[in-house]
Amino acid sequence: MMKRFLILLLVIPASLFAQMPKVARDARTWRQQHERPILGEFTALLSVPNVTRDRTNVRHNAEMLVAMMQRRGIAARLVTIEGANPVVFGELVTPGAKRTIAFYAHYDGQPVDETEWATPPFVPTLRSDSLEHGGQIIPLPPPGTPLGAEARMYARGSGDDKSSIMAMLAAVDALRATGTKLHSNIKFAFDGEEEAGSPNLQAILAANRELFAADLWIICDGPVHQSRRPLIYFGARDVVKLDVTVYGARNELHSGHYGNWSPNPALMLARLLTSMKDEHDRVVVEHFYADIVPLSATERQAIADAPDIDAELMRELWLGATESSPKKLAELITEPSLNIRGMSSGHTGAQASNVVPSSATAAIDIRLVKGMDPRLTQDRVIEHIRRQGYFVVENAPDAEIRRTHPKVAWVERGHPGLGAVRTPMDLPIAQEVVKIVESVRGPAVKLPNMGGSLPLAEIEQPLGTHTIVVPIANHDDNQHTFNENLRIQNLWDGIEVMAALMSM
Ligand SMILES: [Zn+2]
């Protein structure tokens, strides 16, 4: 009995491997023989500081990437406009190919505070496991020695997003070494300003439409699902911001002498914000939801099929309740949100004094879904503020304005973006991507859009193409904060996914 059970355990992974497409199996075999050089190249790339605003070092990264691609026979060069970090472009032309697939990742990273890191952010450090699980520093293994399943590389950019670049370039090596025939032209675009919101990407692409043209852009950024299952996003939300300030008297007033008489802006602001949502957490700003492109049956089904992680998340995050219950997180991120980012009025704690504050400010962000116009949405919120009896100004109100209107609100608009995009899951090319990812990695979590933002509209608008997000990093990669890391197995898995996608 015991022996049979053991054999079963051994047989199951082997049969899964056998079910994988040949291209992914070949990539795995190739990778297993080349782990040391892959890790060596990855380490070298991570050693170059990449904070977006550190333009000199960002440039070094870009030049290094050009060299890495040229070594592989990929035609590569930097594409930029005045004042921007370059986009690293690369191309593999496949004779007779009828379509082109572009692969996007970014090589810049978030700022670092070295004092918070266990090891310096630009000294890539391999550990046997995550720091949380007592991972110890280990050397790069000698050639032919596999790493443990939980080994991780610690460095800024390891998870977000140089791992994606490394997976793509290693996939090219694997495809070459195994003589895999490609069917599409392959393009690469590595963004150097993603962590700053890709402010120049649209302009760079618009100025080089022909160069960047592709039937599909596969965006490799962000983590896979918390369950470690593969994840495919077909869009992203956009974000637009608004700051609202309401006023009491010209300056703070003694609360004993003037309370009950001088209007209290903190209370006014609380009432104004409360008026924006009903008791079921729905936004009641008029027409807020009016232009939303509804989810298709396929998209609804995909949300229903997503693993239910809400209870576990609540436990982890110390939450006794969630908004819009019983709707789940996977569904709620496909709806727009109106969020108070922060509020301030007067002081609290040791700084509190007995005053009626002079003003109160709320910082609001609105996450937009497909169909919503960013500027029109701001307009609608402003109209709602008017309907609550406020005289709305878009510059700091002077004495005259404040004297002549009972309620004054100063609204500062954040710069509106291009809006949210979402690629229909039913598109044949989208279905093809799903099929490939699932054939390599098993059933994927498929979500119509991610909750956050990526520069998808910046790509789709100038090029008239579609985008699909296929991330590879581990969900606990500490992206954007200290001790960022990549679980090496995610890189290995990512190589197989990228090789399969490149051969589509
Ligand atoms: Zn990223």
Side-chain angles (χ1 to χ4, degrees):
M1 260 323 261
M2 187 65 177
K3 203 171 169 192
R4 253 173 89 175
F5 182 64
L6 274 176
I7 289 168
L8 263 179
L9 277 181
L10 288 172
V11 164
I12 289 167
S15 69
L16 278 180
F17 180 73
Q19 285 164 21
M20 282 167 64
K22 182 173 184 304
V23 55
R25 279 184 283 133
D26 286 352
R28 179 175 302 182
T29 307
W30 177 88
R31 179 266 297 172
Q32 285 168 337
Q33 295 159 354
H34 296 84
E35 291 185 356
R36 184 61 173 79
I38 300 169
L39 288 174
E41 194 177 26
F42 191 37
T43 302
L45 180 60
L46 292 170
S47 303
V48 188
N50 69 338
V51 178
T52 317
R53 60 162 194 276
D54 178 2
R55 300 196 53 181
T56 309
N57 274 315
V58 164
R59 185 95 192 175
H60 287 156
N61 277 277
E63 284 160 0
M64 190 170 190
L65 289 169
V66 168
M68 285 166 68
M69 288 204 271
Q70 285 173 344
R71 268 205 302 277
R72 291 167 163 89
I74 303 170
R77 62 187 175 95
L78 303 182
V79 186
T80 193
I81 55 171
E82 183 67 31
N85 290 338
V87 172
V88 184
F89 171 81
E91 185 172 23
L92 277 175
V93 177
T94 304
K98 293 203 169 53
R99 65 177 178 189
T100 301
I101 312 290
F103 289 81
Y104 168 99
H106 66 90
Y107 62 91
D108 66 322
Q110 287 276 323
V112 289
D113 176 351
E114 300 229 3
T115 62
E116 296 174 316
W117 287 65
T119 48
F122 298 111
V123 179
T125 306
L126 193 61
R127 286 181 185 271
S128 55
D129 202 327
S130 68
L131 276 164
E132 293 73 17
H133 291 108
Q136 299 296 310
I137 297 177
I138 52 173
L140 288 185
T145 313
L147 284 165
E150 294 304 317
R152 291 168 191 241
M153 183 72 83
Y154 280 80
R156 169 60 82 228
S158 55
D160 179 22
D161 182 32
K162 288 178 172 175
S163 49
S164 302
I165 297 175
M166 204 55 241
M168 291 173 194
L169 298 186
V172 170
D173 291 338
L175 292 167
R176 284 273 168 73
T178 56
T180 308
K181 223 175 97 66
L182 298 188
H183 303 98
S184 306
N185 295 313
I186 305 295
K187 290 180 179 176
F188 300 96
F190 301 146
D191 190 351
E193 299 186 323
E194 197 277 340
E195 297 297 2
S198 301
N200 298 297
L201 185 61
Q202 187 194 11
I204 291 174
L205 300 184
N208 299 277
R209 279 200 182 86
E210 199 67 2
L211 192 67
F212 288 103
D215 297 278
L216 176 71
W217 276 56
I218 291 174
I219 313 298
C220 195
D221 191 13
V224 297
H225 196 256
Q226 291 91 336
S227 62
R228 288 193 171 171
R229 277 173 59 183
L231 181 56
I232 308 174
Y233 289 118
F234 295 81
R237 292 198 286 191
D238 190 17
V239 60
V240 71
K241 291 162 191 166
L242 277 178
D243 284 359
V244 183
T245 302
V246 300
Y247 298 91
R250 172 186 182 170
N251 42 268
E252 291 183 341
L253 294 173
H254 188 290
S255 61
H257 298 161
Y258 295 99
N260 283 354
W261 180 79
S262 185
N264 186 308
L267 183 66
M268 292 162 68
L269 181 66
R271 284 187 172 133
L272 175 61
L273 295 172
T274 305
S275 76
M276 293 183 185
K277 280 190 161 188
D278 68 14
E279 67 273 26
H280 306 295
D281 307 308
R282 288 289 286 179
V283 178
V284 293
V285 169
E286 205 176 352
H287 306 307
F288 187 77
Y289 299 100
D291 306 324
I292 293 172
V293 177
L295 295 171
S296 69
T298 312
E299 289 166 334
R300 293 204 163 280
Q301 189 57 48
I303 292 168
D305 291 342
D308 185 354
I309 53 166
D310 287 39
E312 176 56 23
L313 272 180
M314 286 175 73
R315 199 188 64 77
E316 247 179 56
L317 301 174
W318 303 3
L319 284 174
T322 57
E323 274 192 32
S324 307
S325 180
K327 283 189 184 176
K328 304 285 183 197
L329 178 63
E331 178 176 359
L332 290 167
I333 59 167
T334 66
E335 297 180 2
S337 67
L338 189 153
N339 173 57
I340 300 162
R341 293 193 293 153
M343 292 168 71
S344 65
S345 186
H347 298 281
T348 57
Q351 275 78 44
S353 47
N354 300 337
V355 296
V356 180
S358 168
S359 69
T361 299
I364 295 172
D365 72 63
I366 300 166
R367 296 283 171 172
L368 307 159
V369 298
K370 190 172 179 175
M372 295 173 80
D373 181 89
R375 193 169 172 91
L376 184 58
T377 302
Q378 287 176 325
D379 289 344
R380 285 170 172 164
V381 174
I382 290 169
E383 185 53 33
H384 176 89
I385 296 171
R386 274 198 196 102
R387 283 180 197 190
Q388 311 310 307
Y390 282 90
F391 182 73
V392 176
V393 291
E394 297 204 18
N395 289 296
D398 59 18
E400 190 53 26
I401 289 173
R402 285 170 61 177
R403 283 186 189 119
T404 50
H405 297 89
K407 289 157 83 179
V408 175
W410 174 20
V411 178
E412 289 175 271
R413 289 172 189 263
H415 180 70
L418 299 176
V421 296
R422 191 169 81 227
T423 296
M425 280 187 194
D426 294 317
L427 274 190
I429 202 164
Q431 286 298 313
E432 205 179 333
V433 167
V434 170
K435 222 177 119 198
I436 291 169
V437 172
E438 294 193 328
S439 71
V440 179
R441 300 280 312 123
V445 180
K446 301 173 281 282
L447 294 175
N449 62 263
M450 61 171 63
S453 305
L454 271 179
L456 305 185
E458 283 77 357
I459 295 166
E460 292 198 5
Q461 279 202 8
L463 302 178
T465 186
H466 288 293
T467 55
I468 296 177
V469 184
V470 182
I472 64 164
N474 40 301
H475 79 277
D476 53 352
D477 67 348
N478 295 334
Q479 68 177 95
H480 293 195
T481 182
F482 55 93
N483 296 334
E484 180 179 348
N485 66 86
L486 179 79
R487 181 173 165 258
I488 299 298
Q489 186 60 45
N490 284 66
L491 175 59
W492 300 158
D493 296 343
I495 294 171
E496 294 164 22
V497 173
M498 290 302 133
L501 289 169
M502 282 174 197
S503 69
M504 72 189 270

